Amino acid sequence: MSESYRVGVLGATGAVGSTILEVLAERDFPASEVVPLASERSAGKRVSFGAGELEVRAVSDESIEGLDLVLSSAGGSVSSEWAPRIVAAGAVVVDNTSFWRMHDEVPLVVAEVNPDHLADHRGIVANPNCTTMQMVVALAPIQREVGIERLIVSTYQSVSGTGQKAIAELREQSRAVLAGEPAVAEVYPHQIAFNVVPQVETFKEGDDYTTEERKVMAETRKIMSVGDEVGISATCARVPVVTGHSESVNLQTKRDLSPNECRELLASAPGVVVVDSPSEGIYPLPTAVAGRDHVLVGRVRRDPSHERCLNLWIVGDNLRKGAATNAVQVAELLAERDLIRVPAGAASF
Ligand SMILES: NC(=O)c1ccc[n+]([C@@H]2O[C@H](COP(=O)([O-])OP(=O)(O)OC[C@H]3O[C@@H](n4cnc5c(N)ncnc54)[C@H](OP(=O)(O)O)[C@@H]3O)[C@@H](O)[C@H]2O)c1
């Protein structure tokens, strides 16, 4: 990476955007300038970047002018409007929202899993949903080695996955409950403090799966380049944890894979750390993963009901590997492969 780029961070005041700024600085991404962008509400605010601070600008045709790359996490409706405008202005967008992920001309990329999908980008690259991201980092090596036939996924997702307002709601409800006061629920449909809510995102009319569960099923297939031949069923629940999503994954492989072989495979896989000594109380925990970029995998064991099924417990930091770190890794790959440029005739989104 010899060149240096002008980088915009859209959504810079949010849970993901502020983590993107942190990761860009930590990994010393070759940026000649970093421009934090958000709504009019935040214009003029200061955000941390490395040892210093940067002033936030409102996103506008003027503030995106001259940028080479924009890492975006300002919500789906902002991305639907601004990603095409940013591409038309000449910058490549790495987008964290769900809006572009399933678009045919947008690669959905996890750095350790399908980096080669970047080659065909037409200006927008999508970052998967945090739940899907951490799961496929752990599943890709198994898929490559023995093939996967079926996945049953149950998630226990932290509130930072919903953003800053949800973190504040968990804190305030916890305080209220402990003080014997009523817990006011605004972000979630029910109290989240001291509770488990089996609804992540929304139910579309006529569907008994939530939009989050649909994303896990569809995005996993797109990233791993598999179709309906791989059965996937997801149940997503929200738990009162600030950072770190946990997942119980039951997977049926095409060829036999013992728990020991699975541990060995995962121990040498990029982005994965095996944490698996359950009798000593050693297994992945959200408190252990917060602030880390690796996905932790443990509780690897045979499903006694099926000879080709294993159970895994997978935990990742949803703000880092689940969003910001992967976005910056994708930016690094684009830079290394000389792909921080919008191909001619690409601005047709
Ligand atoms: N949290 C996660 O773990 C996670 C993981 C993967 C993907 N994502 C996705 O990333 C996106 C952001 O999530 P988050 O958790 O960071 O949310 P958040 O904490 O609520 O932050 C939202 C950001 O978007 C900005 N924004 C809102 N409306 C805007 C507008 N009209 N124009 C420009 N900027 C605007 C906000 O700026 P202001 O301060 O000016 O309002 C803020 O910087 C969502 O689409 C989410 O689904 C989140």
Side-chain angles (χ1 to χ4, degrees), residues 252-301:
Q252 184 173 323
T253 54
K254 282 189 185 150
R255 292 194 303 283
D256 190 45
L257 184 71
S258 72
N260 268 342
E261 288 167 336
C262 182
R263 275 186 214 100
E264 277 167 23
L265 195 58
L266 292 174
S268 59
V272 179
V273 173
V274 175
V275 181
D276 201 16
S277 191
S279 62
E280 297 171 277
I282 295 173
Y283 29 67
L285 294 168
T287 45
V289 90
R292 289 177 69 176
D293 289 324
H294 286 93
V295 169
L296 311 184
V297 186
R299 301 293 321 275
V300 180
R301 64 208 189 278

Side-chain angles (χ1 to χ4, degrees), residues 43-55:
K45 275 191 190 163
R46 303 197 64 85
V47 286
S48 303
F49 181 69
E53 284 187 341
L54 298 170
E55 187 173 313

Side-chain angles (χ1 to χ4, degrees), residues 11 13-16 38-39 41-42 73-75 78 96-97 160-161 163-164 318-319 323:
T13 52
V16 174
S39 75
R41 291 180 292 274
S42 298
S73 61
V78 176
N96 280 279
T97 76
S160 63
Q164 304 283 30
N318 48 293
L319 293 174

Side-chain angles (χ1 to χ4, degrees), residues 294-334:
H294 286 93
V295 169
L296 311 184
V297 186
R299 301 293 321 275
V300 180
R301 64 208 189 278
R302 172 72 66 211
D303 171 350
S305 72
H306 195 292
E307 60 182 10
R308 278 183 287 109
C309 278
L310 292 173
N311 284 308
L312 312 178
W313 183 253
I314 302 173
V315 179
D317 181 329
N318 48 293
L319 293 174
R320 288 189 68 102
K321 182 59 198 174
T325 302
N326 195 68
V328 176
Q329 286 174 305
V330 164
E332 289 169 352
L333 286 164
L334 289 167

Side-chain angles (χ1 to χ4, degrees), residues 10-17 37-43 45 56 59 72-76 78 82 96-98 101 127-130 159-165 201 215 245 318-319 322-323:
L10 174 54
T13 52
V16 174
L37 301 164
S39 75
E40 289 284 356
R41 291 180 292 274
S42 298
K45 275 191 190 163
V56 177
V59 65
S72 166
S73 61
V78 176
W82 279 96
N96 280 279
T97 76
S98 58
R101 291 180 191 148
N127 222 25
N129 165 283
C130 37
V159 298
S160 63
T162 318
Q164 304 283 30
K165 284 186 185 149
E201 295 202 341
K215 282 185 218 168
H245 291 349
N318 48 293
L319 293 174

Side-chain angles (χ1 to χ4, degrees), residues 45 77 137 309 338:
K45 275 191 190 163
S77 62
V137 170
C309 278
D338 192 22

Side-chain angles (χ1 to χ4, degrees), residues 205-281:
E205 206 184 328
D207 195 354
D208 46 12
Y209 280 81
T210 61
T211 47
E212 179 86 347
E213 289 160 351
R214 290 282 171 207
K215 282 185 218 168
V216 171
M217 299 188 269
E219 292 178 22
T220 299
R221 289 198 174 95
K222 180 166 175 176
I223 297 160
M224 294 183 31
S225 303
V226 297
D228 291 343
E229 73 279 6
V230 176
I232 311 179
S233 178
T235 301
C236 297
R238 189 73 68 187
V239 294
V241 166
V242 174
T243 303
H245 291 349
S246 304
E247 300 171 350
S248 165
V249 177
N250 178 275
L251 83 149
Q252 184 173 323
T253 54
K254 282 189 185 150
R255 292 194 303 283
D256 190 45
L257 184 71
S258 72
N260 268 342
E261 288 167 336
C262 182
R263 275 186 214 100
E264 277 167 23
L265 195 58
L266 292 174
S268 59
V272 179
V273 173
V274 175
V275 181
D276 201 16
S277 191
S279 62
E280 297 171 277

